[in-house]
């Protein structure tokens, strides 16, 4: 959970679900000129993490109704593929080697092998150094790597769902992120002034060091946080892809949340059998229960609303 104190917003940052952009936006609200740099190593980001606070401060925030908790979720199948493409089959040799060394492998496993490992039973959690390294890859549980750990295992979503005021979908992130920031008073002050570029050639400096703020070219307008980059129809770089998996068919145009794996456009080629997708749905059953309630909603949902639909006990209490 990352905190925006000025707005009393506690945002659940989930890896492979737009977390990096939210951390960059957090630094933007601080006035950091290099807000487009790699944010995970910045000291001010660590200071705004809920888990870094003392317990009495955590409880004060949890029990204060003025603090709004929020989360943006991603299609579980797409998120898992994105994690695979980013960490296991990365275009960067160093990242591929790091994954192999961590889990005792000597080659790049296929996506199907990756899913099969996740479906195996882990020998211990926490992972014991006495076991084979590959044991760390087994199981979809609390010990799983954060990049493919179930989303409902983050930020108390599985325990404190009714505490969340806003829950949205990455499929509708453009207007839902804006609505969220408007609700907490951050859109007019910061959100609409946020500007970013998706062309790394325009970004000077190292991702781990200083990256200069993006400059507006003649005729350009501020984009706004997680708003779609508008391009002319004649722009040859415009990328419109169609994803079609399960019963979902969605037109996707120009990434607006900073992912570089293009996992949406690769869904069909990697989920090339119904059995593989069904296995992922079973592994991430808890995520899918929540995802299925929000995937087609244009507006943000509340945790109370979702909890009442998920639980017969909550549902009876809501009716009373």
């Amino acid at each position: 959970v990352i905190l925006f104190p000025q707005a009393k917003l506690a945002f659940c940052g989930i890896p492979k679900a737009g977390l990096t952009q939210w951390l960059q936006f957090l630094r933007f609200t601080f006035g950091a000129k290099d807000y487009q740099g790699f944010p995970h190593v910045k000291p001010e980001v660590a200071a705004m993490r809920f888990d870094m606070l003392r317990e009495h401060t955590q409880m004060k925030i949890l029990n204060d109704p003025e603090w709004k908790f929020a989360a943006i979720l991603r299609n579980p199948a797409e998120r898992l593929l994105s994690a695979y493409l980013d960490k296991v089959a990365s275009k960067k040799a160093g990242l591929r080697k790091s994954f192999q060394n961590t889990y005792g492998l000597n080659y790049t496993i296929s996506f199907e092998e990756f899913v099969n490992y996740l479906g195996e039973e882990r020998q211990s959690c926490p992972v014991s150094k006495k076991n084979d390294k590959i044991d760390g890859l087994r199981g979809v549980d609390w010990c799983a790597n954060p990049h493919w750990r179930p989303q409902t295992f983050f930020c108390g979503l599985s325990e404190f769902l009714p505490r969340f005021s806003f829950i949205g979908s990455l499929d509708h992130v453009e207007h839902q992120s804006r609505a969220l920031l408007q609700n907490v008073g951050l859109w007019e002050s910061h959100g609409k002034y946020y500007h970013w570029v998706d062309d790394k050639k325009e970004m000077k400096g190292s991702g781990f060091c200083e990256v200069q703020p993006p400059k507006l070219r003649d005729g350009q307008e501020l984009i706004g946080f997680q708003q779609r980059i508008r391009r002319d129809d004649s722009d040859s770089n415009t990328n419109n892809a169609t994803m079609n998996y399960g019963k979902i068919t969605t037109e996707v145009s120009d990434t607006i949340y900073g992912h570089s794996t293009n996992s949406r456009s690769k869904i069909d080629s990697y989920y090339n059998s119904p059995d593989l997708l069904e296995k992922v749905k079973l592994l991430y059953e808890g995520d899918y229960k929540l995802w299925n309630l929000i995937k087609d909603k244009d507006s943000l949902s509340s945790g109370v609303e979702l909890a009442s639909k998920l639980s017969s006990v909550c549902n009876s209490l809501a009716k009373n």
Side-chain angles (χ1 to χ4, degrees):
V1 177
I2 54 177
L3 305 175
F4 294 80
Q6 70 273 46
K8 290 195 172 182
L9 170 65
F11 182 82
C12 178
I14 300 175
K16 308 309 299 176
L19 169 59
T20 297
Q21 270 212 343
W22 276 92
L23 293 178
Q24 290 172 330
F25 179 65
L26 174 67
R27 299 191 68 243
F28 177 77
T29 65
F30 292 160
K33 291 183 178 180
D34 64 336
Y35 64 87
Q36 278 209 281
F38 188 76
H40 301 272
V41 296
K42 303 295 184 179
E44 64 270 27
V45 169
M48 291 296 107
R49 282 175 43 183
F50 182 81
D51 62 335
M52 298 296 287
L53 303 177
R54 293 181 179 179
E55 185 177 355
H56 75 275
T57 305
Q58 292 179 345
M59 296 306 298
K60 187 175 180 180
I61 291 174
L62 279 171
N63 294 322
D64 184 350
E66 291 188 4
W67 273 90
K68 306 299 180 184
F69 282 71
I72 300 291
L73 306 181
R74 188 176 188 180
N75 182 298
E78 182 188 318
R79 176 175 176 260
L80 183 62
L81 177 56
S82 180
Y84 171 80
L85 294 173
D86 186 33
K87 304 301 178 184
V88 185
S90 173
K91 295 179 180 178
K92 299 179 180 178
L95 289 178
R96 293 197 307 272
K97 193 64 176 177
S98 176
F99 175 86
Q100 293 169 19
N101 290 338
T102 298
Y103 297 107
L105 297 166
N106 57 10
Y107 69 102
T108 299
I109 59 177
S110 69
F111 181 61
E112 186 171 0
E113 287 178 295
F114 176 60
V115 173
N116 287 338
Y117 273 122
L118 297 181
E120 294 180 4
E121 185 176 352
R122 190 192 304 277
Q123 295 181 36
S124 64
C125 177
V127 178
S128 172
K129 292 182 179 180
K130 296 180 181 179
N131 298 332
D132 294 335
K133 285 185 176 181
I134 196 64
D135 192 49
L137 190 55
R138 297 187 176 106
V140 178
D141 51 29
W142 295 97
C143 289
N145 184 295
H147 295 88
W148 53 84
R149 185 183 303 158
Q151 296 171 88
T152 48
F153 285 9
F154 286 89
C155 314
L157 278 167
S158 59
E159 300 97 342
F160 306 110
L161 182 58
R163 181 64 181 85
F164 283 76
S165 302
F166 308 106
I167 295 180
S169 152
L170 211 59
D171 285 357
H172 304 284
V173 72
E174 182 173 14
H175 58 271
Q176 289 185 354
S177 284
R178 178 169 180 165
L180 169 58
L181 295 181
Q182 286 174 333
N183 269 286
V184 298
L186 278 176
W187 180 257
E188 290 298 323
S189 61
H190 294 88
K192 71 178 184 180
Y193 298 107
Y194 188 87
H195 190 71
W196 62 283
V197 294
D198 61 350
D199 185 355
K200 290 186 174 8
K201 293 180 181 179
E202 293 188 24
M203 297 172 62
K204 298 179 180 179
S206 165
F208 287 89
C209 301
E210 183 174 342
V211 175
Q212 296 299 318
K215 295 181 179 179
L216 287 176
R217 297 175 177 175
D218 290 342
Q220 276 189 331
E221 297 180 356
L222 291 170
I223 298 169
F225 180 63
Q226 290 193 329
Q227 302 302 291
R228 196 178 305 278
I229 295 178
R230 310 296 177 186
R231 292 193 176 103
D232 294 335
D233 292 338
S234 58
D235 191 335
S236 60
N237 292 324
T238 299
N239 176 32
N240 291 317
T242 300
M243 61 177 177
N244 188 346
Y245 47 100
K247 294 183 178 179
I248 304 173
T249 302
T250 306
E251 290 296 323
V252 181
S253 171
D254 301 330
T255 180
I256 54 176
Y257 46 87
H259 291 283
S260 59
T261 60
N262 295 317
S263 55
R264 282 189 168 183
S265 64
K266 300 174 182 177
I267 283 286
D268 287 339
S269 60
Y270 281 89
Y271 286 98
N272 49 20
S273 74
D275 290 343
L276 187 57
L277 181 57
E278 286 305 312
K279 187 166 188 174
V280 170
K281 287 182 177 181
L282 286 174
L283 287 172
Y284 291 88
E285 183 179 7
D287 281 5
Y288 269 102
K289 285 181 179 178
L290 200 54
W291 173 254
N292 288 335
L293 295 176
I294 67 170
K295 64 181 182 181
D296 297 323
K297 286 194 63 176
D298 290 331
S299 59
L300 292 162
S301 301
S302 72
V304 170
E305 170 195 351
L306 297 176
S308 68
K309 293 179 180 178
L310 290 171
S311 168
S312 58
V313 176
C314 290
N315 196 26
S316 63
L317 290 174
K319 289 180 179 178
N320 294 332

CSV table of all heavy atoms in Angstrom, one decimal, residues 132-174:
chain,number,residue,atom,x,y,z
A,132,ASP,N,15.3,-28.0,-3.2
A,132,ASP,CA,15.8,-27.5,-4.5
A,132,ASP,C,15.3,-26.1,-4.8
A,132,ASP,O,14.2,-25.7,-4.4
A,132,ASP,CB,15.3,-28.5,-5.6
A,132,ASP,CG,15.9,-29.9,-5.4
A,132,ASP,OD1,17.0,-30.0,-4.8
A,132,ASP,OD2,15.3,-30.8,-5.9
A,133,LYS,N,16.1,-25.4,-5.5
A,133,LYS,CA,15.7,-24.0,-5.9
A,133,LYS,C,14.4,-23.9,-6.6
A,133,LYS,O,13.6,-23.0,-6.4
A,133,LYS,CB,16.8,-23.3,-6.7
A,133,LYS,CG,18.1,-22.9,-5.9
A,133,LYS,CD,19.0,-22.2,-6.9
A,133,LYS,CE,20.2,-21.7,-6.1
A,133,LYS,NZ,21.2,-20.9,-7.0
A,134,ILE,N,14.1,-25.0,-7.4
A,134,ILE,CA,12.9,-25.0,-8.2
A,134,ILE,C,11.7,-25.0,-7.3
A,134,ILE,O,10.6,-24.6,-7.8
A,134,ILE,CB,12.9,-26.2,-9.2
A,134,ILE,CG1,11.8,-26.0,-10.3
A,134,ILE,CG2,12.7,-27.5,-8.4
A,134,ILE,CD1,12.1,-24.8,-11.2
A,135,ASP,N,11.8,-25.4,-6.0
A,135,ASP,CA,10.7,-25.4,-5.2
A,135,ASP,C,10.1,-24.0,-5.0
A,135,ASP,O,8.9,-23.8,-4.7
A,135,ASP,CB,11.0,-26.0,-3.8
A,135,ASP,CG,9.8,-26.3,-2.9
A,135,ASP,OD1,8.9,-26.9,-3.4
A,135,ASP,OD2,9.8,-25.9,-1.7
A,136,GLY,N,10.9,-23.0,-5.1
A,136,GLY,CA,10.5,-21.6,-5.0
A,136,GLY,C,9.5,-21.2,-6.1
A,136,GLY,O,8.8,-20.2,-5.9
A,137,LEU,N,9.5,-21.9,-7.2
A,137,LEU,CA,8.6,-21.6,-8.3
A,137,LEU,C,7.3,-22.3,-8.2
A,137,LEU,O,6.3,-22.0,-8.8
A,137,LEU,CB,9.3,-22.0,-9.6
A,137,LEU,CG,8.7,-21.5,-10.9
A,137,LEU,CD1,8.5,-20.0,-10.9
A,137,LEU,CD2,9.5,-22.0,-12.1
A,138,ARG,N,7.2,-23.3,-7.3
A,138,ARG,CA,6.0,-24.1,-7.2
A,138,ARG,C,5.0,-23.4,-6.3
A,138,ARG,O,5.3,-22.8,-5.3
A,138,ARG,CB,6.3,-25.5,-6.6
A,138,ARG,CG,7.3,-26.4,-7.4
A,138,ARG,CD,7.4,-27.7,-6.8
A,138,ARG,NE,8.2,-28.6,-7.6
A,138,ARG,CZ,9.4,-29.0,-7.4
A,138,ARG,NH1,10.0,-28.6,-6.2
A,138,ARG,NH2,10.1,-29.8,-8.2
A,139,GLY,N,3.7,-23.5,-6.7
A,139,GLY,CA,2.7,-23.0,-5.8
A,139,GLY,C,2.3,-21.6,-6.1
A,139,GLY,O,3.1,-20.7,-6.4
A,140,VAL,N,1.0,-21.3,-6.0
A,140,VAL,CA,0.5,-20.0,-6.1
A,140,VAL,C,-0.1,-19.6,-4.7
A,140,VAL,O,-1.3,-19.9,-4.4
A,140,VAL,CB,-0.6,-19.9,-7.2
A,140,VAL,CG1,-1.2,-18.5,-7.3
A,140,VAL,CG2,-0.1,-20.2,-8.6
A,141,ASP,N,0.8,-19.1,-3.9
A,141,ASP,CA,0.5,-18.9,-2.5
A,141,ASP,C,1.1,-17.6,-2.0
A,141,ASP,O,1.7,-16.9,-2.7
A,141,ASP,CB,0.8,-20.1,-1.6
A,141,ASP,CG,2.3,-20.6,-1.9
A,141,ASP,OD1,3.1,-19.7,-2.2
A,141,ASP,OD2,2.6,-21.8,-1.7
A,142,TRP,N,1.2,-17.5,-0.6
A,142,TRP,CA,1.7,-16.3,-0.1
A,142,TRP,C,3.3,-16.2,-0.3
A,142,TRP,O,3.8,-15.1,-0.3
A,142,TRP,CB,1.5,-16.2,1.4
A,142,TRP,CG,0.0,-16.1,1.8
A,142,TRP,CD1,-0.8,-17.1,2.1
A,142,TRP,CD2,-0.7,-14.9,1.8
A,142,TRP,NE1,-2.1,-16.6,2.3
A,142,TRP,CE2,-2.0,-15.2,2.2
A,142,TRP,CE3,-0.4,-13.5,1.6
A,142,TRP,CZ2,-3.1,-14.3,2.3
A,142,TRP,CZ3,-1.4,-12.6,1.7
A,142,TRP,CH2,-2.7,-13.0,2.1
A,143,CYS,N,3.9,-17.3,-0.6
A,143,CYS,CA,5.3,-17.4,-0.8
A,143,CYS,C,5.7,-17.1,-2.3
A,143,CYS,O,6.9,-17.1,-2.6
A,143,CYS,CB,5.9,-18.7,-0.3
A,143,CYS,SG,5.9,-18.9,1.5
A,144,ALA,N,4.7,-17.1,-3.1
A,144,ALA,CA,5.0,-16.9,-4.6
A,144,ALA,C,5.6,-15.5,-4.8
A,144,ALA,O,5.4,-14.6,-4.1
A,144,ALA,CB,3.7,-17.1,-5.4
A,145,ASN,N,6.4,-15.5,-5.9
A,145,ASN,CA,7.0,-14.2,-6.3
A,145,ASN,C,5.9,-13.2,-6.5
A,145,ASN,O,4.8,-13.4,-7.0
A,145,ASN,CB,7.7,-14.4,-7.6
A,145,ASN,CG,8.5,-13.2,-8.1
A,145,ASN,OD1,7.8,-12.2,-8.5
A,145,ASN,ND2,9.8,-13.3,-8.2
A,146,PRO,N,6.1,-11.9,-6.0
A,146,PRO,CA,5.1,-10.9,-6.0
A,146,PRO,C,4.5,-10.6,-7.4
A,146,PRO,O,3.4,-10.2,-7.6
A,146,PRO,CB,5.7,-9.7,-5.5
A,146,PRO,CG,6.8,-10.2,-4.6
A,146,PRO,CD,7.3,-11.4,-5.3
A,147,HIS,N,5.3,-10.9,-8.5
A,147,HIS,CA,4.9,-10.6,-9.8
A,147,HIS,C,3.8,-11.6,-10.3
A,147,HIS,O,3.1,-11.3,-11.3
A,147,HIS,CB,6.1,-10.6,-10.8
A,147,HIS,CG,7.0,-9.5,-10.5
A,147,HIS,ND1,8.1,-9.6,-9.6
A,147,HIS,CD2,7.1,-8.2,-10.9
A,147,HIS,CE1,8.7,-8.5,-9.5
A,147,HIS,NE2,8.2,-7.6,-10.3
A,148,TRP,N,3.7,-12.8,-9.7
A,148,TRP,CA,2.7,-13.7,-10.1
A,148,TRP,C,1.9,-14.2,-8.9
A,148,TRP,O,1.1,-15.1,-8.9
A,148,TRP,CB,3.2,-14.9,-10.9
A,148,TRP,CG,4.4,-15.6,-10.4
A,148,TRP,CD1,4.3,-16.6,-9.4
A,148,TRP,CD2,5.7,-15.5,-10.7
A,148,TRP,NE1,5.6,-17.1,-9.2
A,148,TRP,CE2,6.5,-16.4,-10.0
A,148,TRP,CE3,6.4,-14.6,-11.6
A,148,TRP,CZ2,7.9,-16.5,-10.1
A,148,TRP,CZ3,7.8,-14.7,-11.7
A,148,TRP,CH2,8.5,-15.7,-11.0
A,149,ARG,N,2.1,-13.6,-7.7
A,149,ARG,CA,1.3,-13.9,-6.5
A,149,ARG,C,-0.1,-13.4,-6.8
A,149,ARG,O,-0.3,-12.4,-7.4
A,149,ARG,CB,1.9,-13.2,-5.3
A,149,ARG,CG,1.2,-13.5,-4.0
A,149,ARG,CD,1.8,-12.7,-2.9
A,149,ARG,NE,3.3,-12.9,-2.8
A,149,ARG,CZ,4.1,-12.1,-2.2
A,149,ARG,NH1,3.7,-10.9,-1.7
A,149,ARG,NH2,5.4,-12.4,-2.2
A,150,PRO,N,-1.1,-14.1,-6.3
A,150,PRO,CA,-2.5,-13.7,-6.6
A,150,PRO,C,-2.7,-12.2,-6.1
A,150,PRO,O,-2.2,-11.8,-5.0
A,150,PRO,CB,-3.3,-14.7,-5.7
A,150,PRO,CG,-2.5,-15.9,-5.7
A,150,PRO,CD,-1.1,-15.4,-5.6
A,151,GLN,N,-3.5,-11.5,-6.9
A,151,GLN,CA,-3.7,-10.1,-6.5
A,151,GLN,C,-4.5,-9.9,-5.2
A,151,GLN,O,-4.3,-8.9,-4.5
A,151,GLN,CB,-4.5,-9.4,-7.7
A,151,GLN,CG,-3.7,-9.4,-9.0
A,151,GLN,CD,-4.5,-8.9,-10.2
A,151,GLN,OE1,-4.6,-7.7,-10.5
A,151,GLN,NE2,-5.1,-9.9,-10.9
A,152,THR,N,-5.4,-10.9,-4.9
A,152,THR,CA,-6.2,-10.8,-3.7
A,152,THR,C,-5.3,-11.1,-2.5
A,152,THR,O,-5.8,-10.9,-1.3
A,152,THR,CB,-7.3,-11.8,-3.8
A,152,THR,OG1,-6.9,-13.1,-4.2
A,152,THR,CG2,-8.4,-11.4,-4.7
A,153,PHE,N,-4.1,-11.4,-2.6
A,153,PHE,CA,-3.2,-11.6,-1.5
A,153,PHE,C,-2.5,-10.3,-1.1
A,153,PHE,O,-1.7,-10.3,-0.2
A,153,PHE,CB,-2.1,-12.7,-1.8
A,153,PHE,CG,-2.6,-14.1,-1.8
A,153,PHE,CD1,-4.0,-14.4,-1.7
A,153,PHE,CD2,-1.8,-15.2,-1.9
A,153,PHE,CE1,-4.5,-15.7,-1.7
A,153,PHE,CE2,-2.2,-16.5,-1.8
A,153,PHE,CZ,-3.6,-16.7,-1.7
A,154,PHE,N,-2.7,-9.3,-1.8
A,154,PHE,CA,-2.1,-8.0,-1.6
A,154,PHE,C,-3.0,-7.1,-0.8
A,154,PHE,O,-4.2,-7.0,-1.0
A,154,PHE,CB,-1.7,-7.3,-2.9
A,154,PHE,CG,-0.5,-7.9,-3.6
A,154,PHE,CD1,-0.7,-8.9,-4.5
A,154,PHE,CD2,0.8,-7.4,-3.4
A,154,PHE,CE1,0.4,-9.5,-5.2
A,154,PHE,CE2,1.8,-8.0,-4.0
A,154,PHE,CZ,1.7,-9.0,-4.9
A,155,CYS,N,-2.4,-6.3,0.1
A,155,CYS,CA,-3.0,-5.2,0.8
A,155,CYS,C,-4.3,-5.5,1.6
A,155,CYS,O,-5.1,-4.7,1.9
A,155,CYS,CB,-3.4,-4.1,-0.2
A,155,CYS,SG,-2.2,-3.7,-1.5
A,156,GLY,N,-4.4,-6.8,2.0
A,156,GLY,CA,-5.6,-7.2,2.7
A,156,GLY,C,-6.8,-7.3,1.9
A,156,GLY,O,-7.9,-7.3,2.5
A,157,LEU,N,-6.7,-7.4,0.6
A,157,LEU,CA,-7.9,-7.5,-0.2
A,157,LEU,C,-8.7,-8.7,0.1
A,157,LEU,O,-10.0,-8.7,0.0
A,157,LEU,CB,-7.5,-7.6,-1.7
A,157,LEU,CG,-7.3,-6.2,-2.4
A,157,LEU,CD1,-6.6,-6.4,-3.7
A,157,LEU,CD2,-8.6,-5.4,-2.5
A,158,SER,N,-8.1,-9.8,0.5
A,158,SER,CA,-8.8,-11.0,0.9
A,158,SER,C,-9.4,-11.0,2.3
A,158,SER,O,-10.3,-11.8,2.6
A,158,SER,CB,-7.9,-12.3,0.7
A,158,SER,OG,-6.8,-12.1,1.6
A,159,GLU,N,-8.9,-10.1,3.1
A,159,GLU,CA,-9.4,-10.0,4.5
A,159,GLU,C,-10.2,-8.8,4.8
A,159,GLU,O,-11.2,-8.8,5.6
A,159,GLU,CB,-8.2,-10.0,5.5
A,159,GLU,CG,-7.3,-11.3,5.4
A,159,GLU,CD,-6.1,-11.0,4.6
A,159,GLU,OE1,-6.1,-10.1,3.8
A,159,GLU,OE2,-5.1,-11.8,4.7
A,160,PHE,N,-9.9,-7.7,4.1
A,160,PHE,CA,-10.5,-6.4,4.5
A,160,PHE,C,-11.2,-5.8,3.2
A,160,PHE,O,-11.1,-4.5,3.1
A,160,PHE,CB,-9.5,-5.4,5.1
A,160,PHE,CG,-8.8,-6.0,6.3
A,160,PHE,CD1,-7.4,-6.3,6.2
A,160,PHE,CD2,-9.5,-6.2,7.5
A,160,PHE,CE1,-6.8,-6.8,7.3
A,160,PHE,CE2,-8.8,-6.7,8.6
A,160,PHE,CZ,-7.5,-7.0,8.5
A,161,LEU,N,-11.7,-6.6,2.3
A,161,LEU,CA,-12.3,-6.0,1.1
A,161,LEU,C,-13.3,-4.9,1.4
A,161,LEU,O,-13.3,-3.9,0.6
A,161,LEU,CB,-13.0,-7.2,0.3
A,161,LEU,CG,-13.6,-6.8,-1.0
A,161,LEU,CD1,-12.6,-6.2,-2.0
A,161,LEU,CD2,-14.2,-8.0,-1.7
A,162,PRO,N,-14.2,-5.0,2.4
A,162,PRO,CA,-15.1,-3.9,2.6
A,162,PRO,C,-14.5,-2.5,3.0
A,162,PRO,O,-15.1,-1.5,2.9
A,162,PRO,CB,-16.0,-4.4,3.7
A,162,PRO,CG,-15.9,-5.9,3.7
A,162,PRO,CD,-14.5,-6.1,3.2
A,163,ARG,N,-13.2,-2.6,3.4
A,163,ARG,CA,-12.5,-1.4,3.7
A,163,ARG,C,-12.1,-0.5,2.5
A,163,ARG,O,-11.8,0.7,2.6
A,163,ARG,CB,-11.2,-1.7,4.6
A,163,ARG,CG,-10.4,-0.5,5.0
A,163,ARG,CD,-11.2,0.4,6.0
A,163,ARG,NE,-10.5,1.6,6.4
A,163,ARG,CZ,-10.4,2.7,5.8
A,163,ARG,NH1,-11.1,2.8,4.6
A,163,ARG,NH2,-9.8,3.7,6.3
A,164,PHE,N,-12.2,-1.2,1.3
A,164,PHE,CA,-11.8,-0.5,0.1
A,164,PHE,C,-12.9,0.3,-0.4
A,164,PHE,O,-14.0,-0.2,-0.7
A,164,PHE,CB,-11.3,-1.5,-0.9
A,164,PHE,CG,-9.9,-2.0,-0.7
A,164,PHE,CD1,-9.6,-2.9,0.3
A,164,PHE,CD2,-8.8,-1.5,-1.4
A,164,PHE,CE1,-8.3,-3.3,0.6
A,164,PHE,CE2,-7.5,-1.9,-1.1
A,164,PHE,CZ,-7.3,-2.8,-0.1
A,165,SER,N,-12.7,1.6,-0.7
A,165,SER,CA,-13.7,2.5,-1.2
A,165,SER,C,-13.8,2.4,-2.7
A,165,SER,O,-14.9,2.6,-3.3
A,165,SER,CB,-13.4,4.0,-0.8
A,165,SER,OG,-13.4,4.1,0.6
A,166,PHE,N,-12.7,2.1,-3.4
A,166,PHE,CA,-12.6,2.2,-4.8
A,166,PHE,C,-11.8,1.0,-5.3
A,166,PHE,O,-10.7,0.8,-5.0
A,166,PHE,CB,-12.0,3.4,-5.3
A,166,PHE,CG,-12.6,4.7,-4.8
A,166,PHE,CD1,-11.9,5.4,-3.8
A,166,PHE,CD2,-13.8,5.2,-5.2
A,166,PHE,CE1,-12.4,6.6,-3.3
A,166,PHE,CE2,-14.4,6.3,-4.6
A,166,PHE,CZ,-13.7,7.1,-3.7
A,167,ILE,N,-12.5,0.2,-6.2
A,167,ILE,CA,-11.8,-0.9,-6.8
A,167,ILE,C,-12.1,-0.9,-8.3
A,167,ILE,O,-13.3,-0.8,-8.7
A,167,ILE,CB,-12.2,-2.3,-6.3
A,167,ILE,CG1,-11.7,-2.4,-4.8
A,167,ILE,CG2,-11.5,-3.4,-7.1
A,167,ILE,CD1,-12.1,-3.7,-4.1
A,168,GLY,N,-11.1,-0.8,-9.1
A,168,GLY,CA,-11.3,-0.7,-10.6
A,168,GLY,C,-10.5,-1.7,-11.4
A,168,GLY,O,-9.9,-2.6,-10.8
A,169,SER,N,-10.6,-1.6,-12.7
A,169,SER,CA,-10.0,-2.6,-13.6
A,169,SER,C,-9.0,-1.9,-14.5
A,169,SER,O,-9.3,-0.8,-15.0
A,169,SER,CB,-11.2,-3.2,-14.4
A,169,SER,OG,-10.7,-3.7,-15.7
A,170,LEU,N,-7.9,-2.6,-14.8
A,170,LEU,CA,-7.0,-2.1,-15.7
A,170,LEU,C,-7.5,-1.9,-17.1
A,170,LEU,O,-7.0,-1.1,-17.9
A,170,LEU,CB,-5.7,-3.0,-15.7
A,170,LEU,CG,-4.4,-2.3,-16.0
A,170,LEU,CD1,-4.1,-1.2,-14.9
A,170,LEU,CD2,-3.2,-3.3,-16.0
A,171,ASP,N,-8.5,-2.7,-17.4
A,171,ASP,CA,-9.2,-2.6,-18.7
A,171,ASP,C,-9.9,-1.2,-18.9
A,171,ASP,O,-10.2,-0.8,-20.0
A,171,ASP,CB,-10.2,-3.7,-19.0
A,171,ASP,CG,-9.5,-5.0,-19.3
A,171,ASP,OD1,-8.2,-5.0,-19.4
A,171,ASP,OD2,-10.2,-6.0,-19.4
A,172,HIS,N,-10.3,-0.6,-17.8
A,172,HIS,CA,-11.0,0.7,-17.9
A,172,HIS,C,-10.2,1.8,-17.1
A,172,HIS,O,-10.8,2.7,-16.6
A,172,HIS,CB,-12.4,0.5,-17.2
A,172,HIS,CG,-13.2,-0.5,-17.8
A,172,HIS,ND1,-13.8,-0.4,-19.1
A,172,HIS,CD2,-13.5,-1.8,-17.4
A,172,HIS,CE1,-14.5,-1.5,-19.4
A,172,HIS,NE2,-14.3,-2.4,-18.4
A,173,VAL,N,-8.9,1.6,-17.1
A,173,VAL,CA,-8.1,2.5,-16.2
A,173,VAL,C,-8.1,3.9,-16.6
A,173,VAL,O,-8.0,4.8,-15.7
A,173,VAL,CB,-6.6,1.9,-16.2
A,173,VAL,CG1,-5.9,2.2,-17.5
A,173,VAL,CG2,-5.9,2.5,-15.0
A,174,GLU,N,-8.3,4.2,-17.9
A,174,GLU,CA,-8.2,5.6,-18.3
A,174,GLU,C,-9.2,6.5,-17.6
A,174,GLU,O,-8.8,7.5,-17.0
A,174,GLU,CB,-8.4,5.7,-19.8
A,174,GLU,CG,-8.3,7.2,-20.3
A,174,GLU,CD,-8.4,7.2,-21.8
A,174,GLU,OE1,-8.7,6.3,-22.5
A,174,GLU,OE2,-8.0,8.3,-22.4
